[in-house]
Amino acid sequence: MLKIVVCVSGGGTNLQAILDGIDTGRVTNTEVLAVVSNNAGARALQRAKEHGIPGICISPKDYESRDAFNQGFTDELCRLAPDLVVLAGFLVKIPDQAVAAFSNRIVNIHPSLIPSFCGVGYYGLKVHEKVLERGVKVTGATVHFVNEGMDEGPIIAQKAVMVEDEDTPEILQKRVMEQAEWILLPKAIDDIANGRISMVDDKVRRKAGTE
């Protein structure tokens, strides 16, 4: 059984996709130990409560310094001791000590086709605003392992989504969620839980016969 902790800052729609996947059997061999948020008012914490899952708020605002928060966040993850940490719309940079403690055991969903529209400053609706400003015709989402860089870890899976002429950032964000994010992240977790994907020597390894 793969035990996961899901980190979310806002509404938790990707969290909901994971929970729905577990409930319907599309995500197997997986248990959500806790949901962690940096935002006490996050809808994600309510979603966790509705599923009987512990919700934990760890906010930089509650610490005297960023270093203290980084250590507190890492200590809490170590206390929970998950097999995998899932960043599902978590808008806080993962501390280097947490990356080291959970090396090759943290995955993130990003709402673009990395390496496009990623890195510092590219998060949430801002990604889709930049996509439309640039005038690209295809965007999408990416699931990747997390390293010390920002959106630089090895890619697990990507899914393309067409950009339409009438799109606003909000419309495009919703389409990317529905057509890519909510599909990719649960599948990646299921693949990891069932041994179809692993990390070896900082490269994604897929079991023979899988996509």
Side-chain angles (χ1 to χ4, degrees):
M1 181 71 71
L2 183 76
K3 298 182 184 297
I4 70 173
V5 166
V6 184
C7 299
V8 194
S9 290
T13 56
N14 276 303
L15 167 65
Q16 191 65 53
I18 295 166
L19 297 175
D20 290 346
I22 293 172
D23 290 345
T24 60
R26 290 183 295 109
V27 178
T28 60
N29 198 29
T30 300
E31 177 188 354
V32 180
L33 293 177
V35 172
V36 173
S37 181
N38 61 304
N39 176 10
R43 172 74 175 92
L45 294 177
Q46 181 62 34
R47 294 181 194 272
K49 182 178 180 180
E50 291 167 359
H51 274 74
I53 297 167
I56 302 166
C57 179
I58 308 175
S59 173
K61 297 177 182 178
D62 296 330
Y63 291 81
E64 66 273 15
S65 69
R66 193 61 178 224
D67 286 344
F69 164 77
N70 288 345
Q71 192 58 57
F73 179 85
T74 303
D75 289 347
E76 184 63 20
L77 286 185
C78 290
R79 183 189 70 80
L80 293 167
D83 301 311
L84 186 73
V85 178
V86 179
L87 310 182
F90 193 54
L91 304 183
V92 176
K93 187 180 186 300
I94 301 302
D96 287 349
Q97 56 262 54
V99 174
F102 292 89
S103 178
N104 298 340
R105 293 191 291 139
I106 306 175
V107 298
N108 178 53
I109 180 79
H110 183 76
S112 77
L113 296 175
I114 291 174
S116 297
F117 305 103
C118 66
V120 178
Y122 284 93
Y123 60 89
L125 201 62
K126 292 185 179 182
V127 174
H128 308 291
E129 290 171 351
K130 294 298 183 183
V131 165
L132 294 176
E133 286 177 13
R134 189 70 179 88
V136 302
K137 302 304 180 185
V138 179
T139 185
T142 303
V143 178
H144 64 95
F145 283 102
V146 173
N147 59 15
E148 291 80 1
M150 183 69 74
D151 301 327
E152 295 178 2
I155 290 172
I156 297 171
Q158 294 183 305
K159 194 173 189 302
V161 175
M162 298 302 298
V163 179
E164 305 294 345
D165 291 341
E166 69 277 10
D167 278 345
T168 64
E170 293 80 6
I171 290 172
L172 183 57
Q173 181 183 53
K174 187 171 186 291
R175 186 183 307 114
V176 170
M177 287 178 176
E178 292 174 344
Q179 296 186 9
E181 294 181 51
W182 299 345
I183 298 169
L184 283 180
L185 188 56
K187 184 179 187 306
I189 293 169
D190 185 63
D191 284 343
I192 293 169
N194 290 285
R196 293 187 291 270
I197 289 178
S198 62
M199 274 282 289
V200 179
D201 298 329
D202 294 328
K203 293 183 179 179
V204 175
R205 302 295 189 188
R206 297 179 185 274
K207 187 176 180 180
T210 64
E211 295 182 359

